[in-house]
Coordinates of all heavy atoms in Angstrom, one line a residue:
V1 N -60.5 100.9 -1.0 CA -60.8 102.2 -1.7 C -59.7 103.2 -1.1 O -59.7 103.5 0.0 CB -62.1 102.7 -1.5 CG1 -62.4 104.0 -2.2 CG2 -63.1 101.7 -2.0
K2 N -58.8 103.6 -2.0 CA -57.6 104.4 -1.6 C -56.8 103.7 -0.5 O -56.5 104.3 0.5 CB -58.1 105.8 -1.3 CG -58.7 106.6 -2.3 CD -59.0 108.0 -1.9 CE -59.6 108.8 -3.1 NZ -59.9 110.2 -2.6
D3 N -56.6 102.3 -0.7 CA -55.9 101.6 0.3 C -56.5 101.3 1.6 O -55.8 100.9 2.6 CB -54.4 102.2 0.4 CG -53.6 102.2 -0.9 OD1 -53.7 101.3 -1.6 OD2 -52.9 103.3 -1.2
T4 N -57.7 101.6 1.7 CA -58.5 101.4 2.9 C -59.7 100.5 2.8 O -60.4 100.6 1.6 CB -59.0 102.9 3.5 OG1 -57.7 103.7 3.6 CG2 -59.6 102.6 4.9
K5 N -59.9 99.6 3.7 CA -61.1 98.7 3.7 C -62.4 99.7 3.6 O -62.4 100.6 4.4 CB -61.0 97.9 4.9 CG -62.3 96.9 4.8 CD -62.3 96.1 6.1 CE -63.5 95.3 6.2 NZ -63.8 94.6 7.6
M6 N -63.3 99.2 2.8 CA -64.6 99.8 2.8 C -65.3 99.9 4.2 O -65.3 98.9 4.8 CB -65.5 99.3 1.7 CG -65.3 99.7 0.3 SD -66.5 99.2 -0.8 CE -66.3 97.4 -0.7
S7 N -65.9 101.0 4.4 CA -66.5 101.1 5.8 C -67.5 102.2 5.8 O -67.3 103.4 5.2 CB -65.4 101.5 6.9 OG -66.1 101.9 8.1
K8 N -68.8 102.0 6.3 CA -69.9 103.0 6.3 C -69.3 104.2 7.1 O -69.5 105.4 6.7 CB -71.0 102.3 6.9 CG -72.1 103.3 6.9 CD -73.4 102.7 7.6 CE -74.6 103.7 7.6 NZ -75.7 103.0 8.4
S9 N -68.5 104.1 8.2 CA -68.0 105.2 9.0 C -67.1 106.1 8.3 O -67.0 107.3 8.6 CB -67.5 104.7 10.2 OG -66.4 103.8 10.0
L10 N -66.3 105.4 7.4 CA -65.3 106.3 6.6 C -65.9 106.9 5.3 O -65.3 107.7 4.7 CB -64.1 105.3 6.3 CG -63.3 104.8 7.3 CD1 -62.3 103.8 6.7 CD2 -62.6 105.9 8.1
G11 N -67.1 106.6 5.0 CA -67.8 107.1 3.9 C -67.2 106.8 2.5 O -67.4 107.4 1.6
N12 N -66.5 105.5 2.5 CA -66.0 105.1 1.2 C -66.7 103.7 0.7 O -66.1 103.0 0.0 CB -64.5 104.8 1.4 CG -64.2 103.7 2.3 OD1 -65.1 103.2 3.1 ND2 -62.9 103.2 2.5
V13 N -67.8 103.7 1.0 CA -68.5 102.5 0.5 C -69.0 102.6 -1.0 O -69.5 103.8 -1.4 CB -69.9 102.3 1.4 CG1 -70.8 101.2 0.8 CG2 -69.5 101.7 2.8
V14 N -68.9 101.6 -1.8 CA -69.2 101.7 -3.1 C -70.5 100.9 -3.4 O -70.6 99.7 -3.0 CB -68.1 100.9 -4.0 CG1 -68.5 101.0 -5.4 CG2 -66.8 101.6 -3.8
E15 N -71.4 101.7 -4.0 CA -72.7 101.1 -4.3 C -72.7 100.3 -5.5 O -72.4 100.7 -6.7 CB -73.8 102.2 -4.5 CG -74.1 103.1 -3.2 CD -74.9 102.3 -2.2 OE1 -75.4 101.3 -2.5 OE2 -75.0 102.6 -1.0
P16 N -73.0 99.0 -5.5 CA -73.0 98.1 -6.6 C -73.9 98.4 -7.8 O -73.5 98.2 -9.0 CB -73.2 96.7 -6.1 CG -73.8 96.9 -4.8 CD -73.4 98.2 -4.2
L17 N -75.2 98.8 -7.5 CA -76.1 99.0 -8.6 C -75.8 100.2 -9.4 O -75.9 100.1 -10.8 CB -77.4 99.3 -7.9 CG -78.3 97.9 -7.6 CD1 -79.6 98.4 -7.1 CD2 -78.4 96.9 -8.7
A18 N -75.1 101.2 -8.9 CA -74.7 102.4 -9.7 C -73.7 101.9 -10.8 O -73.7 102.3 -12.0 CB -74.1 103.5 -8.8
L19 N -72.8 101.0 -10.3 CA -71.7 100.6 -11.2 C -72.4 99.6 -12.3 O -72.0 99.7 -13.5 CB -70.6 99.9 -10.5 CG -69.8 100.8 -9.6 CD1 -68.9 99.9 -8.7 CD2 -69.0 101.7 -10.5
K20 N -73.2 98.7 -11.9 CA -74.0 97.8 -12.7 C -74.7 98.6 -13.8 O -74.7 98.2 -15.0 CB -74.7 96.8 -12.0 CG -75.8 96.0 -12.8 CD -77.2 96.6 -12.7 CE -78.1 95.6 -13.4 NZ -79.4 96.2 -13.5
D21 N -75.4 99.5 -13.5 CA -76.1 100.3 -14.3 C -75.2 101.2 -15.5 O -75.6 101.3 -16.6 CB -77.1 101.4 -13.7 CG -78.1 100.8 -12.7 OD1 -78.4 99.5 -13.0 OD2 -78.6 101.4 -11.9
K22 N -74.1 101.5 -14.9 CA -73.2 102.3 -15.9 C -72.5 101.4 -16.9 O -72.3 101.7 -18.1 CB -72.2 103.2 -15.1 CG -71.3 104.0 -16.0 CD -70.6 105.0 -15.0 CE -69.7 105.9 -15.9 NZ -69.0 106.9 -15.0
Y23 N -71.9 100.3 -16.3 CA -71.1 99.4 -17.1 C -71.7 98.2 -17.6 O -71.1 97.4 -18.4 CB -69.8 99.1 -16.3 CG -68.9 100.3 -16.1 CD1 -69.1 101.1 -14.9 CD2 -68.0 100.7 -17.0 CE1 -68.3 102.2 -14.7 CE2 -67.3 101.9 -16.9 CZ -67.4 102.7 -15.6 OH -66.6 103.7 -15.5
G24 N -73.0 98.1 -17.2 CA -73.7 96.7 -17.6 C -73.4 95.6 -16.6 O -72.3 95.6 -16.0
L25 N -74.3 94.7 -16.5 CA -74.2 93.7 -15.6 C -73.0 92.7 -15.9 O -72.2 92.3 -15.0 CB -75.5 92.8 -15.6 CG -75.3 91.5 -14.6 CD1 -75.1 92.0 -13.2 CD2 -76.8 90.8 -14.7
S26 N -72.8 92.5 -17.2 CA -71.7 91.7 -17.6 C -70.4 92.2 -17.4 O -69.4 91.6 -16.8 CB -71.9 91.3 -19.1 OG -73.1 90.5 -19.3
G27 N -70.2 93.6 -17.7 CA -68.9 94.2 -17.4 C -68.6 94.3 -16.0 O -67.4 94.1 -15.7
F28 N -69.6 94.6 -15.1 CA -69.5 94.7 -13.7 C -69.0 93.4 -13.1 O -68.0 93.2 -12.3 CB -70.9 95.2 -13.0 CG -70.6 95.3 -11.5 CD1 -69.8 96.1 -10.9 CD2 -71.5 94.6 -10.7 CE1 -69.6 96.3 -9.6 CE2 -71.5 94.7 -9.3 CZ -70.6 95.5 -8.7
R29 N -69.7 92.2 -13.5 CA -69.4 90.9 -12.9 C -68.0 90.6 -13.4 O -67.2 89.9 -12.7 CB -70.4 89.9 -13.5 CG -71.7 90.0 -12.6 CD -72.6 88.9 -13.1 NE -72.2 87.5 -13.1 CZ -72.8 86.6 -12.3 NH1 -73.8 86.9 -11.5 NH2 -72.3 85.4 -12.3
Y30 N -67.6 90.7 -14.6 CA -66.3 90.5 -15.2 C -65.3 91.1 -14.4 O -64.2 90.5 -14.0 CB -66.2 90.8 -16.7 CG -64.9 90.6 -17.3 CD1 -64.5 89.3 -17.7 CD2 -63.9 91.5 -17.3 CE1 -63.2 89.0 -18.3 CE2 -62.6 91.3 -17.8 CZ -62.3 90.0 -18.2 OH -61.1 89.7 -18.8
F31 N -65.4 92.3 -14.1 CA -64.3 93.2 -13.4 C -64.2 92.6 -12.1 O -63.0 92.4 -11.6 CB -64.7 94.6 -13.4 CG -63.8 95.4 -12.5 CD1 -62.6 95.9 -12.9 CD2 -64.2 95.8 -11.1 CE1 -61.7 96.6 -12.1 CE2 -63.2 96.4 -10.3 CZ -62.0 96.9 -10.9
L32 N -65.2 92.2 -11.2 CA -65.1 91.7 -9.9 C -64.3 90.4 -9.8 O -63.4 90.1 -9.0 CB -66.4 91.7 -9.3 CG -67.2 92.9 -9.0 CD1 -68.4 92.6 -8.2 CD2 -66.4 93.8 -8.1
L33 N -64.6 89.6 -10.9 CA -64.0 88.2 -10.9 C -62.6 88.3 -11.6 O -61.9 87.3 -11.4 CB -65.0 87.4 -11.7 CG -66.3 87.1 -11.0 CD1 -67.3 86.2 -11.9 CD2 -66.1 86.4 -9.5
R34 N -62.3 89.3 -12.4 CA -61.1 89.3 -13.1 C -60.0 90.0 -12.4 O -58.8 89.7 -12.4 CB -61.3 90.0 -14.5 CG -59.9 90.1 -15.2 CD -59.2 88.8 -15.5 NE -58.0 89.0 -16.3 CZ -56.8 89.2 -15.8 NH1 -56.8 89.4 -14.5 NH2 -55.6 89.4 -16.5
E35 N -60.5 91.1 -11.6 CA -59.5 92.1 -11.0 C -58.9 91.5 -9.7 O -57.8 91.9 -9.3 CB -60.3 93.3 -10.8 CG -59.3 94.5 -10.5 CD -58.5 94.9 -11.8 OE1 -58.8 94.5 -13.0 OE2 -57.6 95.8 -11.7
M36 N -59.6 90.8 -8.9 CA -59.0 90.4 -7.6 C -58.5 89.0 -7.5 O -59.1 88.0 -8.0 CB -60.2 90.3 -6.5 CG -59.7 89.9 -5.1 SD -61.1 89.8 -3.9 CE -61.0 91.5 -3.4
T37 N -57.2 88.9 -7.3 CA -56.5 87.6 -7.2 C -57.0 87.0 -5.8 O -57.0 87.5 -4.8 CB -55.0 87.7 -7.0 OG1 -54.5 88.4 -8.3 CG2 -54.3 86.4 -6.9
F38 N -57.5 85.8 -6.0 CA -58.2 85.0 -4.8 C -57.3 85.0 -3.6 O -56.2 84.5 -3.7 CB -58.8 83.8 -5.1 CG -59.7 83.1 -4.1 CD1 -60.9 83.8 -3.9 CD2 -59.3 82.1 -3.4 CE1 -61.8 83.2 -2.9 CE2 -60.1 81.5 -2.4 CZ -61.3 82.2 -2.2
G39 N -57.8 85.5 -2.5 CA -57.1 85.4 -1.2 C -56.4 86.6 -0.9 O -55.8 86.9 0.2
Y40 N -56.2 87.6 -1.8 CA -55.5 88.8 -1.6 C -56.5 90.1 -1.7 O -57.5 90.0 -2.3 CB -54.2 88.9 -2.6 CG -53.4 87.8 -2.4 CD1 -53.5 86.6 -3.1 CD2 -52.2 88.0 -1.5 CE1 -52.6 85.7 -2.9 CE2 -51.3 87.0 -1.3 CZ -51.4 85.8 -2.1 OH -50.6 84.8 -1.8
D41 N -56.0 91.2 -1.0 CA -56.8 92.5 -1.2 C -56.6 92.9 -2.7 O -55.6 92.7 -3.4 CB -56.3 93.5 -0.3 CG -56.5 93.1 1.2 OD1 -57.3 92.1 1.4 OD2 -55.9 93.7 2.1
S42 N -57.5 93.7 -3.1 CA -57.5 94.4 -4.3 C -58.1 95.8 -4.2 O -58.9 96.1 -3.5 CB -58.3 93.6 -5.4 OG -58.2 94.1 -6.7
S43 N -57.4 96.8 -4.9 CA -57.8 98.2 -5.0 C -58.9 98.4 -6.0 O -58.8 98.0 -7.2 CB -56.6 99.1 -5.3 OG -55.6 99.0 -4.1
F44 N -60.0 99.0 -5.5 CA -61.1 99.4 -6.4 C -61.1 100.9 -6.8 O -60.8 101.6 -6.0 CB -62.5 99.1 -5.8 CG -63.6 99.6 -6.6 CD1 -64.0 98.8 -7.7 CD2 -64.1 100.9 -6.5 CE1 -65.1 99.2 -8.5 CE2 -65.2 101.3 -7.4 CZ -65.7 100.5 -8.3
S45 N -61.3 101.1 -8.1 CA -61.4 102.4 -8.6 C -62.4 102.4 -9.8 O -62.2 101.3 -10.6 CB -60.2 103.2 -8.9 OG -59.5 102.6 -10.0
E46 N -63.1 103.3 -10.1 CA -63.9 103.3 -11.2 C -63.0 103.3 -12.6 O -63.3 102.9 -13.5 CB -65.0 104.5 -11.3 CG -66.0 104.2 -12.4 CD -67.0 105.3 -12.5 OE1 -67.2 106.0 -11.5 OE2 -67.8 105.5 -13.4
E47 N -62.0 104.1 -12.4 CA -61.0 104.2 -13.6 C -60.5 102.8 -13.9 O -60.4 102.5 -15.0 CB -59.9 105.0 -13.2 CG -60.1 106.5 -13.1 CD -60.7 107.0 -11.7 OE1 -60.8 106.1 -10.8 OE2 -61.2 108.1 -11.6

C-alpha cells in the first residue's frame, strides 16, 4: 500500500470484508487472483 508492506503499526492495513461488500465476492476474488503476478509484490489500491 503506497509501496509499503501492510502493517498494523503503520495503519495501512486493508480490511477484506469492506472491499468484498462493495465490489462483490466475485469481483474481489478476481482482482486478488488477477492483479498479483505469483512470486512478486503487487501494489494495492481501490482505484
